[in-house]
Amino acid sequence: MNRAEAQKRIADLRQQIRRHDHLYYVEAHPEISDLDYDKLYTELKKLEEQFPDLVTPDSPTQRVGGQPLKGFKPIHHAVPMMSLDNTYSIEELREFDNRVRKLLPGEKVEYVLEPKIDGVSVTVIYENGRFTLGATRGDGTTGDDITANLKTIRAIPLQLSVKNPPSLFEVRGEVYIKVADFDKLNTEREKDGEPLFQNPRNTAAGSLKQLDPAIVAQRPLNAVFYAIAAAKGVQIKKQADALEMLKRFGLPTHHHWWVCKSIEEVIARADELQKLESELPFEIDGAVVKVNDLTQWERLGATAKAPRFAIAYKYSHEQAQTKLKNITVQVGRTGVLTPVAELEPVFLAGSTISRATLHNEEEIKRKGIRIGDTVIIEKAGQVIPAVVGVVTEKRTGKERVFQMPEKCPVCNSPVVKREVKATKKDEKKVGVAWCCDNVAGCPAQSIRRIEFFAQRGALDIEGIGGVVSEKLIERGLVKEPLDLFELTTNQLAKLNLGTQDEPRIFGEKNATKVVEALKRAKTFSLAHWLFALGISHVGETTAYQIAQLHTDLSSLAKSAIIFDFLHLQELVAESKRVNPDARTGENKLPCKDERTKADNAEEGRRTRQHAEINSKIVALAKRLQEARVEIKLKPKDLKPKKSGKPPLITVACDELEPEACNSVVDFFAS
Ligand code: IVH
């Protein structure tokens, strides 16, 4: 390749790599496998070695560069990095709003609500679109120059993705580590016998303090930006516009934020955000509320420490003590039995609490909770209260140990143990749940299924909630969600939601509405339907993804794609099992010099088997990819022997989880 050709190819490769970095780190939607990414990177690296004069500081190969530093240079912040006033209470949020409006008499005030991520605050300067400087907050006026460390973070672009970038663009944000990445890091450290890290925040902070950028590059750091501290040549009038501009320029921003017209809307959104918390891949410690109009920021000014235009609303964990009168058991939509604490009513964070979730049997055991105990309950923000501990000093000796019932409290069927995935945040964690196995016959499950089917976001059948579902089942009018479509207006109109002595009739008007909503539901998309069916492991996202691959419910019921995918999963597991290079586990072969003849024969056999399975995997993965299933290929476990060939496949098919596929297959089979 001549110089001119190389120059063209280098530009093209950089462009591609930047795009894939963005897709992977900012959008969380990679389009290519790690293997293909590495290929692009290696090609670029080789070309740059061949033509060193073509290397530029913003090339993706220059993320980890230079020698370890002796120390960090101090950086003076032209715009100070202030901190925020905090509150834990909704009342104080309202006071904040009063204060703001008092200082801006007669003006309309809008707010922006953003997540408050628990990370390390940083500032990054782009000059003419190029990342030139990055620093820590330090004392707010002077921080450390950590440019080299921040450049290793692939979420942070080295170049802004805009044609005519501002000559100066300084952005503020947070460096953090995702919970799953943190766990993976610690698992690896454990394997290598290294001391474990304490928590994501401290690890992120400790990583940025490293003097050797090569070490920083190995830490799974991520970043998110939420403010523009300085911008030459661009006009920004609102915080919402700033967030949009950051995103447009290719910087990572939060996916969830809201413009709110009033403080009451702020409060509602903060609550919504908290409910989303378990779905977010990182830890948040609350929300930040900011006045939207930047000219108002100027007029509001700041106190010595914090600006008056913003406040951090931290999710409170208010506690109270009360007596645990009894533990009852609730049966959920998928049959999972959940113990519920029946409490002596107590006032906590704005409301009277008489019930709280106990999650599962293990939780009760772990916390040593007994019926009759004085317990500590906690309400995080406005979400459902939970029992967090026992006041053992208050025990009288009359407390009873709780035992999960052996029969379903509703239908009396035997109870079985089932493995369930814990949370989205911690996917690896698997818990055991007690379940009523009477899927078709347990009225409690049917009621919950109908309620779920009709809810907003599913088939949107306003008028069918918990009580109506219960009565429909009780009166034998329906058994399963699909039976709803057989109901007549007349039947529904006569439905008694009360008792015989105190009837409460559903009525003609409501009945007509429901029947119309049902008619409308028939036109909804496959994704809607799939979600509404309430198949376990199939949430809104998975439903959408599965629906993308099929035309209708009947094609899904006999889906080859789903079977192929499951087959692929099995092959991958098998490949891992026979891998002759396995470094851990029972299938690990003895060290080279300790091998017997039989071991060597075993190695040969396994190498052949491994290659055979891997070629099947490749064929199947190809077929799936043709069917538009996105397969993320990861090296590690399937590394073929010595051949020097690039590693093969682990299917990290985020798009279609095996549990979800299994559930879909089971669902249609039953
Ligand atoms: S704005 C002058 N927005 O929280 C106000 N800060 O307790 C600048 N933080 O120092 C901060 N998420 O490190 C803002 N969406 C967000 C934030 C956020 C996290 C951090 C930031 C700040 C600290 C204040």
Side-chain angles (χ1 to χ4, degrees):
M1 200 181 283
N2 65 32
R3 197 171 177 287
E5 281 165 347
Q7 192 161 20
K8 216 166 138 235
R9 181 67 185 151
I10 284 174
D12 173 45
L13 286 166
R14 285 180 188 162
Q15 184 61 27
Q16 284 192 56
I17 292 172
R18 275 183 204 127
R19 183 166 165 269
H20 292 301
D21 277 344
H22 185 84
L23 284 168
Y24 190 96
Y25 288 98
V26 182
E27 308 270 342
H29 267 297
E31 276 181 8
I32 59 170
S33 66
D34 290 3
L35 178 62
D36 287 334
Y37 180 91
D38 290 344
K39 272 192 199 153
L40 295 174
Y41 190 90
T42 314
E43 188 186 344
L44 176 61
K45 187 116 195 154
K46 280 205 176 125
L47 276 176
E48 287 182 345
E49 272 160 21
Q50 228 178 315
F51 300 94
D53 62 314
L54 294 179
V55 178
T56 55
D58 62 348
S59 168
T61 58
Q62 303 304 302
R63 283 198 177 270
V64 193
Q67 295 294 311
L69 303 171
K70 298 241 158 43
F72 297 115
K73 222 171 63 195
I75 295 290
H76 176 78
H77 301 305
V79 180
M81 292 180 77
M82 281 195 277
S83 68
L84 291 171
D85 278 336
N86 277 334
T87 175
Y88 287 89
S89 91
I90 288 176
E91 262 332 294
E92 283 182 22
L93 268 187
R94 294 199 177 101
E95 280 165 25
F96 160 75
D97 173 55
N98 282 335
R99 246 185 346 261
V100 166
R101 284 186 298 117
K102 221 184 231 165
L103 289 166
L104 303 167
E107 293 182 39
K108 220 175 86 188
V109 180
E110 267 182 0
Y111 295 104
V112 170
L113 184 105
E114 303 163 19
K116 182 165 182 341
I117 204 165
D118 204 9
V120 184
S121 116
V122 297
T123 189
V124 173
I125 296 180
Y126 288 88
E127 284 170 280
N128 300 312
R130 277 197 182 172
F131 181 156
T132 51
L133 187 101
T136 60
R137 189 176 104 91
D139 62 4
T141 320
T142 311
D144 285 333
D145 179 346
I146 52 162
T147 309
N149 288 351
L150 289 179
K151 277 192 173 173
T152 68
I153 303 175
R154 284 209 274 158
I156 307 181
L158 296 177
Q159 203 182 41
L160 297 177
S161 60
V162 55
K163 274 232 176 76
N164 295 310
S167 56
L168 174 80
F169 197 62
E170 176 166 3
V171 293
R172 301 272 158 91
E174 210 79 358
V175 169
Y176 69 96
I177 297 181
K178 287 187 184 176
V179 179
D181 289 338
F182 176 77
D183 289 343
K184 210 163 94 196
L185 181 65
N186 259 351
T187 312
E188 274 159 22
R189 284 178 78 87
E190 197 171 11
K191 245 192 249 160
D192 299 340
E194 286 177 277
L196 300 190
F197 289 123
Q198 253 183 359
N199 59 46
R201 209 209 82 87
N202 288 356
T203 312
S207 301
L208 290 181
K209 284 199 193 116
Q210 297 292 322
L211 291 167
D212 183 358
I215 296 178
V216 188
Q218 286 163 12
R219 304 275 167 84
L221 298 175
N222 222 313
V224 64
F225 292 91
Y226 44 71
I228 301 174
K232 273 206 187 116
V234 272
Q235 277 281 331
I236 312 151
K237 294 205 180 99
K238 303 255 163 96
Q239 168 65 6
D241 299 339
L243 292 175
E244 260 149 25
M245 179 177 282
L246 289 166
K247 185 170 175 200
R248 215 169 44 246
F249 283 9
L251 289 152
T253 50
H254 279 298
H255 294 284
H256 301 280
W257 56 271
W258 296 267
V259 174
C260 307
K261 298 247 179 282
S262 67
I263 200 69
E264 293 313 313
E265 194 182 343
V266 166
I267 293 164
R269 295 301 192 186
D271 198 28
E272 192 174 333
L273 176 64
Q274 190 172 15
K275 285 189 185 128
L276 277 170
E277 196 187 347
S278 65
E279 311 236 330
L280 297 174
F282 42 76
E283 278 169 352
I284 55 175
D285 57 354
V288 182
V289 184
K290 298 173 186 173
V291 168
N292 193 13
D293 187 325
L294 305 195
T295 59
Q296 291 179 336
W297 284 23
E298 282 162 27
R299 270 171 290 141
L300 286 166
T303 63
K305 206 182 91 218
R308 287 204 195 87
F309 62 79
I311 192 165
Y313 172 54
K314 294 223 187 160
Y315 292 139
S316 83
H317 296 267
E318 273 186 64
Q319 297 188 334
Q321 287 187 11
T322 187
K323 194 104 178 206
L324 175 62
K325 291 192 301 189
N326 196 9
I327 297 179
T328 54
V329 171
Q330 245 175 21
V331 187
R333 175 170 56 87
T334 55
V336 175
L337 304 189
T338 307
V340 177
E342 305 290 342
L343 306 162
E344 215 139 76
V346 59
F347 192 76
L348 172 66
S351 61
T352 304
I353 314 286
S354 54
R355 304 181 92 197
T357 176
L358 287 164
H359 302 291
N360 52 50
E361 192 191 22
E362 250 144 67
E363 188 98 348
I364 296 176
K365 279 196 190 138
R366 203 165 49 77
K367 290 179 182 153
I369 299 168
R370 297 184 198 161
I371 299 168
D373 265 336
T374 298
V375 291
I376 301 165
I377 57 169
E378 187 177 279
K379 208 168 147 198
Q382 308 216 300
V383 183
I384 322 159
V387 176
V388 293
V390 175
V391 190
T392 39
E393 306 87 68
K394 294 204 178 161
R395 282 219 166 121
T396 60
K398 285 193 196 139
E399 293 76 14
R400 282 185 296 126
V401 172
F402 165 77
Q403 210 125 44
M404 220 42 179
E406 283 168 17
K407 299 245 168 93
C408 169
V410 178
C411 72
N412 229 14
S413 305
V415 162
V416 296
K417 266 191 170 177
R418 212 191 285 157
E419 267 194 358
V420 288
K421 207 154 56 181
T423 59
K424 250 206 176 147
K425 216 181 204 172
D426 193 349
E427 303 228 344
K428 267 182 274 157
K429 235 190 220 159
V430 176
V432 182
W434 290 100
C435 300
C436 163
D437 220 14
N438 184 10
V439 179
C442 178
Q445 290 186 49
S446 303
I447 293 168
R448 296 279 93 85
R449 273 200 294 272
I450 291 171
E451 199 184 340
F452 185 87
F453 188 72
Q455 73 176 331
R456 232 183 9 178
L459 292 193
D460 244 335
I461 304 160
E462 211 188 321
I464 298 200
V467 179
V468 176
S469 306
E470 197 181 312
K471 295 299 169 191
L472 285 170
I473 293 278
E474 218 176 275
R475 309 272 191 271
L477 287 170
V478 299
K479 276 210 163 79
E480 284 307 318
L482 290 178
D483 299 340
L484 289 174
F485 292 92
E486 311 289 326
L487 288 172
T488 62
T489 317
N490 197 18
Q491 275 174 317
L492 269 166
K494 283 194 298 201
L495 185 68
N496 178 4
L497 304 179
T499 59
Q500 223 154 25
D501 299 338
E502 274 183 64
R504 200 156 64 80
I505 306 300
F506 195 53
E508 185 82 27
K509 215 165 126 193
N510 287 329
T512 314
K513 264 199 209 152
V514 166
V515 171
E516 267 162 18
L518 281 161
K519 220 184 264 167
R520 205 172 44 236
K522 287 188 184 171
T523 65
F524 284 4
S525 69
L526 178 58
H528 253 88
W529 271 84
L530 196 52
F531 171 67
L533 289 173
I535 303 171
S536 37
H537 302 293
V538 183
E540 269 174 296
T541 314
T542 310
Y544 174 78
Q545 286 154 347
I546 294 181
Q548 290 290 80
L549 304 167
H550 301 87
T551 47
D552 50 34
L553 275 178
S554 56
S555 84
L556 173 58
K558 359 182 233 283
S559 171
I561 295 172
I562 300 246
F563 275 105
D564 272 357
F565 184 77
L566 283 168
H567 187 196
L568 185 62
Q569 296 284 320
E570 282 160 20
L571 285 174
V572 169
E574 179 69 7
S575 168
K576 276 189 202 172
R577 211 172 49 71
V578 304
N579 184 356
D581 278 348
R583 286 205 216 125
T584 50
E586 342 163 350
N587 49 349
K588 178 179 180 298
L589 285 166
C591 289
K592 282 266 142 61
D593 32 5
E594 287 169 19
R595 278 188 196 171
T596 62
K597 233 182 177 173
D599 287 334
N600 285 332
E602 167 79 5
E603 190 200 359
R605 197 177 58 78
R606 290 221 328 232
T607 306
R608 277 192 304 280
Q609 254 185 347
H610 192 237
E612 215 170 277
I613 295 167
N614 285 355
S615 62
K616 278 192 200 160
I617 291 177
V618 172
L620 199 49
K622 258 197 197 144
R623 208 160 87 200
L624 274 166
Q625 267 168 342
E626 273 157 25
R628 294 193 297 130
V629 180
E630 203 169 298
I631 309 270
K632 197 159 110 196
L633 309 175
K634 272 202 196 147
K636 249 193 189 153
D637 301 303
L638 297 163
K639 221 171 219 172
K641 190 83 198 163
K642 282 178 279 180
S643 68
K645 273 214 197 107
L648 263 176
I649 302 166
T650 304
V651 178
C653 190
D654 307 333
E655 305 296 303
L656 276 184
E657 292 179 19
E659 291 96 337
C661 293
N662 267 319
S663 300
V664 170
V665 170
D666 288 350
F667 179 85
F668 287 107
S670 71

